[in-house]
Amino acid sequence: MNQDPALVSIMRQGPYLIASIHTALDDSQMVRFQHDLVDKIGRHRSRGVIIDVAALDVLDSFGSKTLRNIAEMARLRGAQTVVVGIQPDVALAMVLLGMGTVQVETALDLEEGLAYLDDAVAPRAAVDARDGRP
Amino acid sequence: MTWARRTFPDVSVTEPSGADAVPPGHPEVSALIPIVRRVVGSRVTDRTVADDLVQETLVRVLAAEGRVEAGMLESYAIATARNVVASMWRLQDRARRNQHRVVDLRPPPTPDEDLLAREEQTAVVRAMARLSQRERELLLAHEVSGRDTRTLADESGSSAGAVAAQLNRTRARLRVEYLLAVEGAEPPTDRCRPVLLALSSGDRRRQREVDADRHVVECELCARLSNPLLERGQPRDDVVRIPIRTDADIVAARRAAREMAARQGFSSTDLTVVATAVSEIARNIVRFANAGVLVIELLERPHAGVRMVAMDNGPGIPDVERALADGYSTYDGLGLGLPGARRLMDEFAVASEAGRGTTVTMTKWRRGGRP
């Protein structure tokens, strides 16, 4: 994402990637975000991904589908995904719309998301430590 | 500093000043040259200008030599030199103060200006020719001869109001005919003229009768011509139109819908609900049609609400009933575009015609406003 100001930011935090969406994205920007994120998972060998969608004005069928796609692709690349920051209004509209993100793990905010990933990923980290891997 | 040179065209400015300006036989004046130089030189730094001023002073002193008392010539020369310098400053000052007056702000004429003016004239003539004899006479009597509506009404035995209304109709027609003449196009369908006329006159009831919005989406010519017609109308803040062509327009559409609904006092939840529905519907336009428009209108009756009409020129939906049933989709999605949006709205209607396009009309009322 070379645009200025950045629409999204993807930061590395230990074994996790934290992706924050800063503004409403249109469909093609959403697809680009998906690409960038899945690409980075491989490059940083990330174990977990947190997607912060607090700034999204809506999560419509396309947005929800993209999040599910990201989660599935990340899973196939060996990373666990948590979506955090879905606003209450957005959640209600999603339910009315019939959009589920049932297959995607969610958490209230960044803190909860990190806690979830620590639980989900930690056993593997412990295994790594035992086997002497970083 | 060309002004001084212009004043003395016979004086060479390239040679050192002074000596050559004084013809032989005037030794008293020649003796004054150094002092005049000093007086001028102390006030003017530019060498060339100073030389010019010295010359002018000497010319004046020479002319006055006979009138000035003996012994006073030096003081006279000094006073003259000061005056010459002062008057140059005055002139410069005046030139500076008035400089803005000589600036020509009009753009320089372009070679095609004349041609364009002629083309425009032809278009006006052709448009005038399309009016009826009576319309033309009335318009010319009012606009060109400057006769007021009351006089015109007395002559034709009607009222001033009726004449004014007729003038308005005639102007609206003239605008339409003018635009058609400029385009050099004949409207492709019978519907074009009535639609353009309704847009030109800004008559919303008439626009609805002829389904102007729908036609503008379908007809390329009218889409083009409607822009200047809509622009000149009173800007209405209870209706906005958002053209939908690209992904980015979807975001613009949902943002506009959110803003309009916010003006109606919708709760933040309902703002998101409205924006989500608009997002779904606008996406269908981008996916399936070349172009479309979203018209967002504020409603006050029977209570506060917002109506969104999305129109496109796409292939149309063959089976609307099925498209509204959950789980049906023609594209790689979740099959929830239309039924999902319907669940978000209070009123939802889809009209579609194969080959002509689809119109989705949806309304959301402000909660608490319902009886």
Side-chain angles (χ1 to χ4, degrees):
Chain A
M1 295 262 131
N2 296 327
Q3 279 124 328
D4 214 11
L7 303 171
V8 301
S9 57
I10 302 173
M11 285 171 301
R12 193 179 164 189
Q13 157 80 47
Y16 309 140
L17 283 181
I18 301 176
S20 304
I21 299 174
H22 300 306
T23 181
L25 298 184
D26 70 30
D27 292 4
S28 41
Q29 289 163 341
M30 207 65 174
V31 170
R32 200 143 23 119
F33 169 61
Q34 170 185 319
H35 253 266
D36 288 358
L37 189 53
V38 172
D39 178 58
K40 286 215 166 119
I41 291 171
R43 237 181 311 139
H44 295 310
R45 313 185 71 82
S46 303
R47 290 276 167 75
V49 178
I50 296 179
I51 304 174
D52 184 355
V53 296
L56 279 185
D57 59 338
V58 303
L59 261 171
D60 57 7
S61 59
F62 188 84
S64 312
K65 196 182 101 183
T66 310
L67 289 183
R68 276 206 309 247
N69 287 351
I70 291 174
E72 181 61 12
M73 284 185 231
R75 195 184 64 80
L76 293 171
R77 306 272 274 157
Q80 181 83 39
T81 304
V82 192
V83 173
V84 303
I86 295 181
Q87 299 298 302
D89 298 338
V90 174
L92 187 121
M94 284 173 78
V95 171
L96 287 177
L97 192 62
M99 281 297 102
T101 41
V102 178
Q103 301 99 309
V104 181
E105 293 303 332
T106 54
L108 187 62
D109 54 22
L110 198 57
E111 199 181 332
E112 299 272 322
L114 281 169
Y116 172 85
L117 281 185
D118 282 342
D119 283 349
V121 177
R124 279 175 50 189
V127 170
D128 281 348
R130 189 195 58 204
D131 297 351
R133 275 177 291 185
Chain B
M1 290 301 138
T2 52
W3 65 274
R5 282 171 221 174
R6 236 187 359 259
T7 327
F8 314 106
D10 50 338
V11 174
S12 161
V13 293
T14 51
E15 291 178 36
S17 69
D20 57 329
V22 182
H26 297 275
E28 303 91 341
V29 178
S30 300
L32 292 172
I33 290 171
I35 194 161
V36 170
R37 273 214 190 126
R38 209 161 52 238
V39 172
V40 174
S42 66
R43 287 164 171 78
V44 181
T45 45
D46 188 317
R47 276 286 305 277
T48 339
V49 178
D51 284 351
D52 286 345
L53 295 178
V54 169
Q55 302 264 13
E56 177 166 7
T57 310
L58 293 173
V59 168
R60 287 190 189 181
V61 173
L62 274 174
E65 198 188 357
R67 288 183 278 120
V68 180
E69 280 176 49
M72 293 301 283
L73 203 59
E74 186 180 311
S75 339
Y76 183 84
I78 291 170
T80 307
R82 280 188 194 142
N83 287 344
V84 166
V85 172
S87 65
M88 179 197 71
W89 284 339
R90 259 201 309 279
L91 261 174
Q92 277 180 355
D93 190 41
R94 193 182 309 151
R96 196 164 47 237
R97 267 186 289 119
N98 289 302
Q99 202 157 30
H100 67 278
R101 291 176 200 270
V102 301
V103 176
D104 190 353
L105 289 173
R106 284 169 304 180
T110 53
D112 54 353
E113 212 165 71
D114 201 31
L115 198 67
L116 288 174
R118 260 209 306 281
E119 253 173 34
E120 193 165 302
Q121 206 173 3
T122 325
V124 173
V125 169
R126 283 192 12 227
M128 286 295 278
R130 301 221 48 140
L131 301 179
S132 76
Q133 177 77 17
R134 214 183 105 60
E135 286 175 321
R136 201 158 44 233
E137 275 169 10
L138 184 69
L139 194 66
L140 289 176
H142 184 70
E143 301 287 350
V144 181
S145 312
R147 296 165 64 197
D148 62 20
T149 47
R150 186 180 300 273
T151 325
L152 292 168
D154 287 346
E155 277 170 23
S156 59
S158 66
S159 70
V163 171
Q166 196 179 356
L167 275 169
N168 271 335
R169 277 197 301 276
T170 308
R171 287 195 201 101
R173 269 201 64 185
L174 188 64
R175 280 192 292 271
V176 170
E177 297 298 343
Y178 168 76
L179 287 173
L180 286 169
V182 169
E183 283 275 322
E186 259 311 293
T189 71
D190 309 344
R191 292 186 58 210
C192 295
R193 267 209 171 78
V195 164
L196 289 172
L197 202 56
L199 293 173
S200 178
S201 55
D203 183 342
R204 289 198 54 210
R205 195 175 53 84
R206 184 81 190 120
Q207 285 171 20
R208 263 198 294 277
E209 273 170 22
V210 296
D211 202 359
D213 286 330
R214 176 81 241 170
H215 177 76
V216 167
V217 169
E218 286 169 8
C219 175
E220 211 175 297
L221 178 72
C222 292
R224 206 159 53 234
L225 296 189
S226 65
N227 285 333
L229 292 175
L230 287 171
E231 271 167 23
R232 63 161 289 285
Q234 300 285 325
R236 301 174 50 91
D237 60 355
D238 58 345
V239 178
V240 297
R241 278 157 216 279
I242 293 112
I244 312 267
R245 278 174 182 279
T246 65
D247 280 347
D249 295 334
I250 301 176
V251 177
R254 65 191 193 214
R255 194 166 288 157
R258 186 185 277 271
E259 268 166 29
M260 291 290 272
R263 271 172 44 198
Q264 289 290 63
F266 276 49
S267 69
S268 81
T269 303
D270 279 350
L271 294 183
T272 306
V273 162
V274 166
T276 308
V278 164
S279 197
E280 293 294 305
I281 298 307
R283 178 169 297 109
N284 287 342
I285 297 180
V286 175
R287 290 276 156 86
F288 300 119
N290 289 326
V293 65
L294 178 76
V295 181
I296 308 169
E297 193 180 350
L298 299 186
L299 303 176
E300 294 303 335
R301 277 185 303 241
H303 36 258
V306 58
R307 169 171 296 152
M308 288 145 291
V309 183
M311 286 170 282
D312 66 54
N313 63 359
I317 302 171
D319 187 345
V320 172
E321 283 305 310
R322 247 188 90 202
L324 280 169
D326 263 326
Y328 171 69
S329 173
T330 51
Y331 71 95
D332 173 30
L334 292 148
L336 286 165
L338 290 181
R342 179 160 73 168
R343 274 195 296 274
L344 294 167
M345 287 288 139
D346 292 326
E347 288 166 29
F348 192 87
V350 181
S352 190
E353 201 178 313
R356 267 190 68 192
T358 305
T359 303
V360 177
T361 308
M362 40 192 196
T363 311
K364 185 85 181 167
W365 301 108
R366 187 175 68 201
R367 252 188 293 177
R370 266 186 133 168

